[in-house]
Coordinates of all heavy atoms in Angstrom, one line a residue:
D73 N 149.5 79.2 243.9 CA 150.3 78.4 244.9 C 151.7 78.2 244.5 O 152.6 78.3 245.4 CB 149.6 77.1 245.1 CG 148.3 77.1 246.0 OD1 147.9 78.2 246.5 OD2 147.5 76.2 245.9
L74 N 152.0 77.9 243.3 CA 153.4 77.8 242.8 C 154.1 79.1 243.0 O 155.2 79.2 243.4 CB 153.4 77.1 241.5 CG 152.9 75.7 241.1 CD1 152.9 75.5 239.7 CD2 153.8 74.8 242.0
T75 N 153.4 80.2 242.6 CA 154.1 81.5 242.6 C 154.4 81.9 243.9 O 155.4 82.6 244.0 CB 153.0 82.5 242.0 OG1 152.7 82.2 240.6 CG2 153.4 83.9 242.0
C76 N 153.6 81.5 245.1 CA 153.9 81.9 246.4 C 155.2 81.3 246.8 O 155.8 81.8 247.7 CB 152.8 81.5 247.3 SG 151.5 82.3 247.1
M77 N 155.8 80.3 246.1 CA 157.1 79.6 246.5 C 158.2 80.2 245.6 O 159.3 79.8 245.7 CB 156.9 78.2 246.4 CG 156.0 77.5 247.3 SD 156.1 78.1 249.0 CE 157.7 77.4 249.5
G78 N 157.8 81.2 244.8 CA 158.8 81.6 243.8 C 159.1 80.8 242.7 O 160.2 80.7 242.2
A79 N 158.2 80.0 242.4 CA 158.3 79.0 241.2 C 157.7 79.3 240.0 O 156.4 79.7 240.0 CB 157.8 77.6 241.8
K80 N 158.2 79.3 238.9 CA 157.5 79.6 237.6 C 156.7 78.4 237.2 O 157.3 77.4 237.1 CB 158.7 79.9 236.5 CG 158.0 80.3 235.1 CD 159.1 80.4 234.0 CE 158.5 80.8 232.7 NZ 159.5 81.0 231.7
P81 N 155.5 78.6 237.0 CA 154.6 77.5 236.7 C 155.0 77.0 235.3 O 155.1 77.7 234.3 CB 153.1 78.1 236.6 CG 153.3 79.2 237.6 CD 154.7 79.8 237.3
L82 N 155.1 75.6 235.2 CA 155.5 75.0 233.9 C 154.4 74.2 233.4 O 153.9 74.1 232.2 CB 156.8 74.2 234.1 CG 158.0 75.0 234.5 CD1 159.2 74.0 234.6 CD2 158.4 76.0 233.4
Y83 N 153.9 73.2 234.2 CA 153.1 72.1 233.9 C 151.9 72.0 234.8 O 152.0 72.2 235.9 CB 153.8 70.8 233.7 CG 155.1 70.7 233.1 CD1 156.3 70.4 233.6 CD2 155.1 71.2 231.6 CE1 157.4 70.5 232.9 CE2 156.4 71.1 230.9 CZ 157.6 70.8 231.6 OH 158.7 70.9 230.9
L84 N 150.7 71.6 234.2 CA 149.6 71.4 235.0 C 148.9 70.1 234.5 O 149.0 69.7 233.3 CB 148.5 72.5 234.9 CG 148.9 73.8 235.4 CD1 147.7 74.8 235.1 CD2 149.0 73.8 236.9
T85 N 148.4 69.3 235.5 CA 147.4 68.3 235.2 C 146.1 68.5 235.7 O 146.0 69.4 236.7 CB 147.9 66.9 235.6 OG1 147.8 66.9 237.1 CG2 149.3 66.6 235.2
C86 N 145.0 68.0 235.1 CA 143.7 68.3 235.7 C 142.8 67.1 235.7 O 142.9 66.2 234.8 CB 143.0 69.5 234.9 SG 142.9 69.0 233.1
A87 N 141.9 67.0 236.7 CA 141.0 65.9 236.8 C 139.6 66.4 237.0 O 139.4 67.3 237.8 CB 141.2 65.0 238.1
F88 N 138.7 65.9 236.2 CA 137.3 66.4 236.2 C 136.4 65.4 236.8 O 136.4 64.2 236.5 CB 136.8 66.8 234.8 CG 137.4 67.9 234.1 CD1 138.6 67.9 233.5 CD2 136.8 69.2 234.2 CE1 139.4 68.9 232.9 CE2 137.5 70.4 233.6 CZ 138.7 70.1 232.9
I89 N 135.6 65.8 237.7 CA 134.4 64.9 238.2 C 133.1 65.7 237.7 O 132.9 66.8 238.2 CB 134.3 64.8 239.7 CG1 135.8 64.3 240.3 CG2 133.1 64.0 240.2 CD1 135.9 62.9 239.9
I90 N 132.5 65.1 236.7 CA 131.3 65.8 236.0 C 130.0 65.1 236.4 O 129.9 63.8 236.4 CB 131.5 65.7 234.6 CG1 132.9 66.4 234.1 CG2 130.4 66.5 233.9 CD1 133.3 66.2 232.8
E91 N 129.0 66.0 236.9 CA 127.7 65.5 237.1 C 127.0 65.1 235.9 O 126.9 66.0 235.0 CB 127.0 66.3 237.9 CG 125.7 65.9 238.5 CD 124.9 66.9 239.3 OE1 125.3 68.1 239.1 OE2 123.9 66.6 240.0
E92 N 126.4 63.9 235.8 CA 125.5 63.6 234.7 C 124.4 64.7 234.5 O 123.9 65.2 235.4 CB 124.8 62.2 235.0 CG 123.9 61.8 234.0 CD 122.9 60.6 234.5 OE1 122.9 60.4 235.7 OE2 122.4 60.0 233.7
G93 N 124.3 65.1 233.2 CA 123.2 66.2 232.9 C 124.0 67.6 232.8 O 123.2 68.5 232.4
L94 N 125.1 67.7 233.1 CA 125.7 69.0 232.8 C 125.7 69.4 231.5 O 126.0 68.6 230.5 CB 127.3 68.9 233.3 CG 128.1 70.3 233.0 CD1 127.6 71.5 234.0 CD2 129.6 70.0 233.2
E95 N 125.4 70.6 231.1 CA 125.3 71.1 229.7 C 126.6 71.1 229.2 O 127.6 71.5 229.7 CB 124.5 72.4 229.7 CG 123.2 72.7 230.2 CD 122.6 73.9 230.1 OE1 123.2 74.8 229.5 OE2 121.7 74.2 231.0
T96 N 126.7 70.5 228.0 CA 128.0 70.4 227.2 C 128.5 71.7 227.0 O 129.7 72.0 227.0 CB 127.8 69.7 225.9 OG1 127.2 68.4 226.2 CG2 129.0 69.4 225.3
A97 N 127.7 72.8 226.7 CA 128.1 74.1 226.4 C 128.8 74.7 227.6 O 129.8 75.5 227.4 CB 126.9 75.0 226.0
K98 N 128.3 74.4 228.9 CA 128.9 74.9 230.1 C 130.3 74.3 230.2 O 131.3 74.9 230.7 CB 128.2 74.6 231.2 CG 126.7 75.4 231.4 CD 126.1 75.3 232.7 CE 125.0 76.1 233.0 NZ 124.3 76.0 234.2
L99 N 130.4 73.0 230.0 CA 131.6 72.3 230.2 C 132.7 73.0 229.1 O 133.9 73.1 229.3 CB 131.6 70.9 229.8 CG 132.9 70.0 230.1 CD1 133.4 70.2 231.6 CD2 132.6 68.5 229.7
D100 N 132.2 73.3 227.9 CA 133.1 73.9 226.9 C 133.4 75.2 227.4 O 134.7 75.7 227.3 CB 132.3 74.0 225.6 CG 133.1 74.6 224.4 OD1 133.3 75.7 224.3 OD2 133.6 73.6 223.8
Q101 N 132.7 76.1 228.0 CA 133.0 77.4 228.6 C 134.1 77.2 229.6 O 135.0 77.9 229.7 CB 131.8 78.1 229.1 CG 130.8 78.6 228.1 CD 129.6 79.2 229.0 OE1 129.7 80.1 229.7 NE2 128.4 78.8 228.4
I102 N 134.0 76.1 230.5 CA 134.9 75.9 231.5 C 136.3 75.5 231.0 O 137.3 76.1 231.4 CB 134.4 74.8 232.5 CG1 133.2 75.3 233.3 CG2 135.5 74.3 233.2 CD1 132.5 74.2 233.9
A103 N 136.4 74.7 230.1 CA 137.5 74.2 229.5 C 138.2 75.4 228.7 O 139.5 75.6 228.7 CB 137.4 73.1 228.4
K104 N 137.4 76.2 228.0 CA 137.9 77.4 227.3 C 138.6 78.4 228.3 O 139.8 79.0 228.1 CB 136.9 78.1 226.5 CG 137.3 79.4 225.7 CD 136.2 80.0 225.0 CE 136.6 81.3 224.2 NZ 135.5 81.9 223.5
A105 N 137.9 78.8 229.4 CA 138.5 79.6 230.4 C 139.8 79.0 230.9 O 140.8 79.7 231.3 CB 137.5 79.7 231.6
M106 N 139.8 77.7 231.2 CA 141.1 77.1 231.6 C 142.2 77.4 230.7 O 143.4 77.7 231.0 CB 141.0 75.6 231.8 CG 140.0 75.3 233.0 SD 139.6 73.5 233.2 CE 141.2 72.9 233.8

């Protein structure tokens, strides 16, 4: 979305809504991919 405006991405913030019972290993994979 930033790229579409010709803006070099510099900083990101993130907010997680996590469902109780999510496997910790899956959350680890998600954070690693990010």
Side-chain angles (χ1 to χ4, degrees):
D73 283 346
L74 295 171
T75 296
C76 287
M77 301 310 297
K80 179 182 180 181
L82 298 177
Y83 311 119
L84 293 175
T85 67
C86 58
F88 291 82
I89 305 295
I90 304 169
E91 183 184 23
E92 176 190 18
L94 175 67
E95 294 175 27
T96 306
K98 286 187 175 180
L99 184 60
D100 189 274
Q101 290 177 53
I102 289 167
K104 182 180 180 183
M106 293 175 72

